[in-house]
Amino acid sequence: MTLRDGSRRELPQGATIRDLAQSIGKRLGEATVGGRIDGAPEILDFRTQLSRNCSVDVVTADSKDGLEVIRHSASHIMADAMLRLWPDAKLAIGPAIEDGFYYDIDLAHRITPEDLPRIEEEMAKIIAANTAFERCRVDRNAEIGRARERADVYKAELMEGLPEDAEVTFYRHGGGSFEDLCRGPHVPSTGYVKAFKVQRIAGAYWRGDEKNRMLQRIYGTAFFNKKELEEHLARIEEAGKRDHRKLGRELGLFFLDPVAPASPFFLPKGTQLYNRLQQHMRELYRRHGYQEVITPQVFDVELWHRSGHYANYKDNMFFTTVDERECAVKPMNCPAHTFIYATEKRSYRELPLRIADFGRLHRYERSGVTSGLTRVRTFCQDDAHIFATPDQIQSEITSLIGMIREVYGLFQFTEMKVFLSTRPENSVGSDEIWERAEAGLAEALKANGINFTVNVGDGAFYGPKIDFVVSDALRRDWQLGTIQLDFTLPERFDLGFVAADGSTQRPVMIHRAILGSIERFIGILIEHTGGNFPFWLAPEQVRIISIADAHVAWATEVASALAAAGVRTNTDFSNAKTGAKIRDARLARVPFTLVVGGRECEDRTVAVRERPDVDRGVMSLSAVQELFLELERNKA
RNA sequence: GCCGACGUAGCUCAGCGGUAGAGCAGCGGUUUCGUAAACCGCAGGUCGCGGGUUCAAUUCCCGCCGUCGGCUCCA
């Protein structure tokens, strides 16, 4: 066998992954929970027999892959615990997921939060017993019969979904007291699950289909050790503190009200942030050859029939009747931009034509899916449509990737994942057009040296897309930017340009957004920064605090000078104690606090304090002005 | 939309079949203070909305609306 590090080992015929690990060291043997053979993606059971001349990656409990095995085993243990508490429960599925695991069960008893500690107690007993996870091959048809007899419909259905000749395996623990249909792998024994928590209850449809019965889903998580579990739980708690809905209220940025469900009201501070972001994008547009337009809000429904939105998107649209004409509020800007394009006969010399629009969009979202700023019914995107010749696609996408990297870097989103989404079921356009578009995007990504994952069937109805997903400070993923290629709308709206040879040709449309929606981006930014926006974005950049009434005159002079220089300044001349005013400024996440007391009045200076807790010492008025202008210039 | 939980003062939360409470914020006053909360007082609520049960409902039941956690969907 060959090991990951390239070393080779000889083992007797029939040796398993674990034997191999044992032969290297006793501790490695014990830590082994599975393995990979010949670089295959699946993790195999540690009992898997090795064939001759294979290469093996040993998966140990403390690795990332091992964690997946631990979590999967924890989900079995949780299922066992629930069956002990409610013997009539029917098990559906229980996989390991990103941050833990879940198990879907069908149970007459409504599980309540009070039940969770009971489930944990049962699980602890099962783990303390430390019984082996045994793997057994079973006869598919016999097991389907057995499951049907017990009315174990979910397992029966799962097995029926497997091919006739599939190898069907069960995993047992507790000496056979619990068994479950499962491909595995699992840890050697229940005692390997050393740190777990049962977290919450949710509803979930069987097989994710809302036509099916709703099951009860119990979420939990497990880690290699207690310390990692604690860290994870602490991160969840920190995320709760940074929740943009909570900070949005505390910082006076925005609020929501039932009079307009899922439609945020932006307060003056939130609006400042909103406008500053837009202003930044406009600066970027100026450098990249974009032209901004303003387009209507409500259109005759005929437009949406023509664009394909009515057929493919009407469930997400708002309709209204005006002068007996049926109209729809725009959910996207693209059809309007085809009209902008078509106002003139276009020459190839004008292309690429880049049309940007901060138009307000409305999309009807089902009541259960809306959330804070991240999923709303009215929003605006940093939207633009690029009308280009087919051979300009590559260079436009390359330039877009550059813009995207620049913008995300500015907000310190350092990790970026890229997804290429292909043709969905509901779509318009010919196979040939789709193939060309998908290949075009893939090529452009490759040309830019970008690693990407393909999401089959996840494209927009008019074209394939590239999505850009960033990781925030708490390692949560958010989709921001998108680039969508569209050969269909230009056809539907019969757009053309005159080529160099005098022939009329069809342009391609590139739909693109970098921040995504401004609303959602603000929500993400609040959580990413915990409300500590960079100086250039902060709604209130500086707060000036007087120590006593005698200092108000000089403090006012400082405030006026800064305000005149364009710095967003507030004053706190209330009769509270200095400590209390400092505290208020901190809680408001104001980047700079200038304290003015007797000494400062005398020297005509200010005492500068920078968030989070840096004393910048005493500075002259001109020095702080220079500092702030510098920060603004550098977008720091 | 579906499953579950929740909805009490501007905010965070307590209470509970018998006239609704705290802290913070707000307002008035005292204090003029040097880097994370001075002190005293006042005011603030048809207990989400509608119906039902009851002598009596914020409390129990039903419906609706909204919020939260998920499912599905998605910028």
Side-chain angles (χ1 to χ4, degrees), chain A residues 519-577:
Chain A
E519 280 73 3
R520 164 190 246 197
F521 189 81
I522 288 176
I524 294 164
L525 198 61
I526 292 170
E527 304 202 0
H528 185 51
T529 60
N532 292 302
F533 304 113
F535 182 83
W536 69 278
L537 267 181
E540 183 182 348
Q541 295 174 306
V542 180
R543 186 172 295 187
I544 300 173
I545 289 174
S546 59
I547 288 179
D549 291 348
H551 316 128
V552 168
W554 171 232
T556 304
E557 217 177 301
V558 172
S560 318
L562 289 176
V567 179
R568 295 186 287 276
T569 309
N570 260 334
T571 55
D572 183 354
F573 299 157
S574 67
N575 68 357
K577 293 222 175 202

Side-chain angles (χ1 to χ4, degrees), chain A residues 7-223:
Chain A
S7 65
R8 300 182 64 84
R9 291 189 90 84
E10 296 283 331
L11 284 170
Q13 190 85 34
T16 64
I17 292 172
R18 189 186 223 181
D19 294 335
L20 172 72
Q22 286 281 7
S23 78
I24 298 165
K26 189 157 171 287
R27 284 181 60 189
L28 181 65
E30 277 165 21
T32 298
V33 297
R36 282 208 176 86
I37 293 179
D38 293 333
E42 323 81 77
I43 305 168
L44 300 171
D45 192 278
F46 63 89
R47 281 159 293 218
T48 306
Q49 291 194 354
L50 299 169
S51 53
R52 293 191 334 151
N53 273 335
C54 59
S55 70
V56 180
D57 282 334
V58 172
V59 171
T60 53
D62 59 349
S63 68
K64 189 164 173 279
D65 290 334
L67 193 54
E68 195 181 316
V69 179
I70 288 172
R71 287 171 174 170
H72 190 183
S73 299
S75 100
H76 273 227
I77 293 168
M78 185 171 77
D80 184 5
M82 288 193 289
L83 277 177
R84 290 178 183 203
L85 291 167
W86 303 284
D88 63 322
K90 290 191 179 68
L91 303 180
I93 54 164
I97 52 170
E98 178 85 22
D99 280 321
F101 60 88
Y102 66 80
Y103 216 110
D104 283 351
I105 64 165
D106 189 355
L107 177 63
H109 168 73
R110 288 280 154 222
I111 295 171
T112 65
E114 291 76 57
D115 291 327
L116 300 184
R118 294 174 61 205
I119 297 171
E120 284 183 348
E121 277 165 39
E122 281 304 316
M123 289 175 72
K125 284 184 209 161
I126 296 162
I127 289 164
N130 196 21
T131 59
F133 270 95
E134 301 159 54
R135 179 175 199 264
C136 36
R137 289 177 66 163
V138 295
D139 179 73
R140 173 180 175 275
N141 293 333
E143 286 302 329
I144 291 174
R146 229 160 56 93
R148 284 281 171 213
E149 255 169 52
R150 290 193 314 249
D152 202 349
V153 289
Y154 305 105
K155 293 299 173 190
E157 206 179 299
L158 285 173
M159 286 189 280
E160 281 159 1
L162 297 171
E164 283 280 348
D165 58 348
E167 180 185 90
V168 179
T169 54
F170 273 63
Y171 271 81
R172 300 195 163 119
H173 63 255
S177 69
F178 177 87
E179 62 170 30
D180 192 7
L181 169 71
C182 185
R183 188 188 319 128
H186 281 284
V187 293
S189 66
T190 58
Y192 275 68
V193 180
K194 297 197 190 80
F196 71 96
K197 181 154 183 67
V198 178
Q199 294 170 295
R200 58 177 181 270
I201 314 148
Y205 301 102
W206 167 235
R207 302 203 138 167
D209 187 334
E210 57 188 286
K211 288 191 272 300
N212 288 338
R213 189 175 165 80
M214 175 135 325
L215 308 173
Q216 299 190 70
R217 174 172 295 180
I218 317 299
Y219 281 93
T221 192
F223 281 85

